[in-house]
């Protein structure tokens, strides 16, 4: 066993780190900027395809008053 097993299965052991849930404070600090980034990218993509979009934070307003909101994934935070 020992170092031979570790050399062979290092990736599997390293990947187990992702099973540890993040603290809520850290999750919020990561999720909020990512939501803003995704809404900014989505706005740029829609504008480049000819769909006019107004972005306010992570809320996007399309023509005819259609509003889209970039929300965090509920299952990721334990809900």
């Amino acid at each position: 066993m020992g170092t031979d097993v570790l050399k062979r299965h290092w990736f599997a052991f390293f990947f187990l780190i992702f099973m540890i849930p993040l603290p809520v404070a850290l999750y919020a600090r990561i999720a909020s900027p990512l939501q803003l980034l995704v809404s900014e990218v989505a706005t740029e993509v829609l504008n480049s395809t000819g769909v006019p979009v107004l972005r306010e934070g992570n809320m996007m307003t399309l023509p005819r008053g259609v509003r889209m909101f970039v929300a965090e994934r509920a299952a990721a935070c334990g809900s």
Side-chain angles (χ1 to χ4, degrees), residues 10-35:
W10 69 270
F11 181 77
F13 291 127
F14 174 74
F15 197 73
L16 287 175
I17 292 172
F18 292 109
M19 293 186 67
I20 301 170
L22 294 174
V24 174
L26 179 61
Y27 178 81
R29 289 188 67 170
I30 293 171
S32 183
L34 286 176
Q35 284 177 294

Side-chain angles (χ1 to χ4, degrees), residues 49-72:
T49 60
V51 179
V53 179
L54 171 67
R55 181 178 64 91
E56 299 171 281
N58 57 351
M59 179 71 69
M60 296 176 289
T61 306
L62 287 91
R64 298 184 191 170
V66 176
R67 298 180 72 145
M68 295 192 316
F69 178 74
V70 177
E72 59 186 59

Side-chain angles (χ1 to χ4, degrees), residues 29-42:
R29 289 188 67 170
I30 293 171
S32 183
L34 286 176
Q35 284 177 294
L36 292 174
L37 175 67
V38 167
S39 62
E40 186 175 333
V41 169

